[in-house]
Amino acid sequence: MPNALVTGANRGLGLALVRALLTRGDRVIAACRHPGKANDLNRLTGEHPGRLHVLPLDLTDPKSHHELARELPLVLGNDAGEGRIDLLINNAGVLHSGERFGKVTAANLEDSFRTNAMGPFLLTQALAPLLADDAKVANITSELGSIAGVTRFGTPSYNISKAALNMASVLLKHALADRRITVLALHPGWVRTEMGGNEATLPPAQSAESLLRVIDGASLADSGKYLDWNGEPLPW
Ligand code: NAP
């Protein structure tokens, strides 16, 4: 049974990815900040005995990455803890809205960078020994991380952090290439979540299913690509 790990799994796109992975038969490790409060995940755990494990993770705290890495062998694969992660989806992210030029704060920039760029990069590094050879790492970025695609001063902390995540994705491709691990930077579309808002065009389940299709269809030759939920390339 393939093992998949999803960050930011308690709501939004992360929760939809967990549901889609469970439906197709994977064992899922759902990482979130507050497992005790993750009611939807805890309900799903009951519906999928032994196939869904909810573990704590705060992406902004490297200690938390290492604690997750220590706990994982206990839930992965078999009693000897010899299982590996076949798919790591770095989904968790934050968007500080309402930023205006002249009023952008160091706190917003720092939190965005720590959550959206530093977190996925350092978590992938910490979990690398637990990734299967020829595993896949999907970094959920955004079209707003495209330097070529910027048209306005909208959400600078978010744009900057997602552009950094795009760079991190290409660097991780190189770091993991000798283990035949494929790394993708994926834009999920405009998704109806707390972040995307009610006007967004895609239901989370549809985005999740499309993203999994793109991930499944990707091979090592695609590693380092920046793609949307339909598998279409985006300009850097
Ligand atoms: P969301 O509804 O706001 O959910 C964000 C998730 O990230 C929540 O589970 C949240 O946990 C988690 N998270 C935030 N900071 C964290 C931290 N420090 N440690 C661990 N988890 C943390 O957003 P979403 O729409 O599902 O977004 C998922 C991903 O898609 C993000 O990377 C986002 O940038 C990207 N994206 C979304 C859209 C869109 O239209 N929605 C478009 C482009 C890209 P808590 O519940 O604890 O806060």
Side-chain angles (χ1 to χ4, degrees), residues 17-57:
L17 284 162
V18 169
R19 285 188 204 280
L21 288 161
L22 287 170
T23 300
R24 77 178 197 187
D26 288 21
R27 177 186 288 109
V28 182
I29 294 107
C32 62
R33 280 196 274 211
H34 306 293
K37 295 185 195 161
N39 295 335
D40 291 323
L41 280 179
N42 292 325
R43 230 185 335 267
L44 277 176
T45 309
E47 291 166 20
H48 300 274
R51 280 213 295 129
L52 175 60
H53 304 271
V54 186
L55 295 180
L57 173 69

Side-chain angles (χ1 to χ4, degrees), residues 8 10-11 13 33 58-59 91 93 140-141 158 162 189 191 193:
N10 55 307
R11 61 185 170 98
L13 181 59
R33 280 196 274 211
D58 181 347
L59 269 177
N91 162 78
I140 306 300
T141 180
Y158 187 74
K162 289 294 191 179
V191 190
T193 62

